[in-house]
Amino acid sequence: MAAGPTLLRARFWTIVPKGDVWVKFGTDPTAASDTGHLVLANQPRSFAVTVAGEKVAIKDAV
């Protein structure tokens, strides 16, 4: 019998910055201005993990 697909449990990144930040996800992410997601100070945001081994990069938006 062939093995079925490996299912990942739902996982999320939750970002809760004290200041505005740029956030980018991937296997080798680099956060930079005007790329990825802008998360504003004191406004928590959750993002679903899309692949196993995913990493996050965070850069101050100032």
Side-chain angles (χ1 to χ4, degrees):
M1 179 187 267
T6 301
L7 301 177
L8 298 174
R9 288 187 280 161
R11 304 250 186 226
F12 296 89
W13 293 102
T14 299
I15 312 294
V16 187
K18 292 186 179 190
D20 298 348
V21 295
W22 286 101
V23 180
K24 192 160 185 180
F25 303 94
T27 55
D28 189 22
T30 300
S33 299
D34 299 323
T35 65
H37 304 276
L38 177 62
V39 181
L40 301 177
N42 301 311
Q43 295 185 12
R45 291 276 312 270
S46 292
F47 301 90
V49 172
T50 57
V51 295
E54 183 175 68
K55 297 176 184 167
V56 61
I58 299 174
K59 178 187 182 300
D60 193 349
V62 175

